[in-house]
Amino acid sequence: MPQIAPLSPTYSTARAAFLEGADAAGAAVATTVHPHRGLEGEALAVDVASLGPADAAHVVAAFSATHGVEGYCGSALQRHWLAHHAGELPEGVRLHMVHALNPYGMSWVRRVNEDNVDLNRNFVDWEAPVPDNPEYTSIADLLVPADWSDDEQQRTTNELLALAAEWGFPKLQAVVSGGQYHHATGVFYGGTGPVWSHRWLREWSAVAFAQAEQVTIIDLHTGLGPWGHGELIGGGAPGDALYERALRRWPDTRSMLAGDSVSAVLAGDWVNASAELAPHAEVTPVCIEYGTVDPVTVLQSLRADAWLHGHGEPLGPQGP
């Protein structure tokens, strides 16, 4: 089996390699330019490589970089498929490879977007009150203090570890990562309304899925779980149509809403809202979460990143 290509060192190289791979596979490419610039001053864009008949009843869409920095793995997987499996696309299936749903975060080596918004907390019902997370508020200054000196890092980390011992780590993970909407420089911030990538996804889906009877969505992530293990996480809870369809197709699919996944229960993730993208079709979404380092190291990295962009100098000596 061909080896997966190494991860690209920058967004620009990943994008160039993806576009080259799409061209070699004979895919049609549509590009939407992002309004911001990247870490190196480069143009940013969402690029979609498409194969198969435009009027296909079954449409598959695979996404990278919902969480920007995680897009380096997703980009490599997309390029690998284009290089080695494009000729295996079943007849009558339309495939879209969506490269860098959050290109800003991918370029700036951040999970979040240009507004410090976690795209997977941004798909709440914005016509209703946002979900409340008072326990996050109680520890917001511990998670992202205004000072990031060595002493303050040690103090706040010790207090968070004490909370983990008191609450249990699963509760702390749920409080921290479940989503919050009142601390704009904090972690796992959901925003105040639909952000650019959110709006793009809905507008693009309205066209890309317009003629589909069945839509399969694959969202590529990294971060949680054992190193290199890919956990399949379905939308919905056991008994819900979204989840049951995924379970029939991939029997080892897990549900975060049932509490048996490496992910905590989230507010505003787009996979659980994916049926809204094609309300006329049968939608089957799944997230693939590849494990990296331990969750404490992941959290410490996210805290440092939030402090840097909220209180520090992203392009200074402490930047990427």
Side-chain angles (χ1 to χ4, degrees):
M1 179 177 178
Q3 293 294 308
I4 301 294
L7 304 191
S8 299
T10 66
Y11 164 78
S12 294
T13 55
R15 184 186 181 206
F18 174 80
L19 293 174
E20 181 180 350
D23 182 66
V29 176
T31 293
T32 304
V33 175
H34 191 279
H36 288 258
R37 307 294 289 189
L39 176 62
E40 300 174 328
E42 77 277 25
L44 303 174
V46 180
D47 298 295
V48 183
S50 302
L51 292 163
D55 61 349
H58 192 164
V59 177
V60 178
F63 294 79
S64 63
T66 290
H67 293 140
V69 66
E70 301 174 22
Y72 290 96
C73 176
S75 176
L77 291 170
Q78 288 173 320
R79 298 196 314 269
H80 179 86
W81 193 94
L82 288 168
H84 300 288
H85 300 286
E88 302 169 9
L89 186 68
E91 185 177 350
V93 173
R94 176 76 162 171
L95 172 72
H96 300 293
M97 288 286 188
V98 182
H99 187 266
L101 180 58
N102 171 13
Y104 183 93
M106 186 171 176
S107 174
W108 283 85
V109 200
R110 303 197 71 198
R111 174 188 175 93
V112 294
N113 80 336
E114 60 275 10
D115 307 304
N116 196 50
V117 168
D118 186 321
L119 190 56
N120 249 5
R121 308 297 184 278
N122 191 242
F123 280 74
V124 294
D125 180 358
W126 289 109
E127 296 183 358
V130 295
D132 196 18
N133 189 349
E135 288 174 308
Y136 180 98
T137 295
S138 72
I139 60 173
D141 291 338
L142 285 179
L143 288 166
V144 186
D147 175 25
W148 199 245
S149 64
D150 290 345
D151 287 346
E152 190 68 352
Q153 288 182 54
Q154 190 64 56
R155 181 190 72 82
T156 56
T157 298
N158 287 343
E159 290 196 35
L160 288 169
L161 290 174
L163 267 180
E166 177 185 343
W167 289 356
F169 191 81
K171 177 180 176 179
L172 180 64
Q173 180 187 14
V175 169
V176 173
S177 67
Q180 55 87 15
Y181 298 84
H182 298 99
H183 302 273
T185 58
V187 291
F188 302 100
Y189 175 56
T192 58
V195 296
W196 186 90
S197 293
H198 178 155
R199 299 191 302 271
W200 178 89
L201 179 58
R202 289 191 183 275
E203 292 167 6
W204 175 80
S205 298
V207 176
F209 302 152
Q211 299 186 63
E213 297 174 10
Q214 295 178 306
V215 174
T216 300
I217 289 172
I218 302 169
D219 193 25
L220 300 167
H221 287 259
T222 63
L224 300 175
W227 173 266
H229 174 71
E231 179 176 290
L232 298 175
I233 306 173
D240 294 346
L242 281 182
Y243 179 73
E244 295 300 329
R245 284 197 292 270
L247 190 63
R248 286 194 296 271
R249 192 173 299 179
W250 303 289
D252 55 347
T253 299
R254 300 195 176 186
S255 167
M256 71 172 163
L257 297 183
D260 63 354
S261 166
V262 293
S263 173
V265 176
L266 311 180
D269 71 294
W270 79 263
V271 165
N272 269 304
S274 59
E276 300 172 9
L277 303 178
H280 59 284
E282 180 184 272
V283 179
T284 305
V286 70
C287 163
I288 307 180
E289 180 83 31
Y290 291 97
T292 53
V293 294
D294 65 273
V296 173
T297 301
V298 171
L299 178 59
Q300 291 293 79
S301 298
L302 295 175
R303 293 176 65 213
D305 172 77
W307 174 85
L308 176 67
H309 288 264
H311 303 281
E313 298 180 20
L315 294 178
Q318 294 175 302

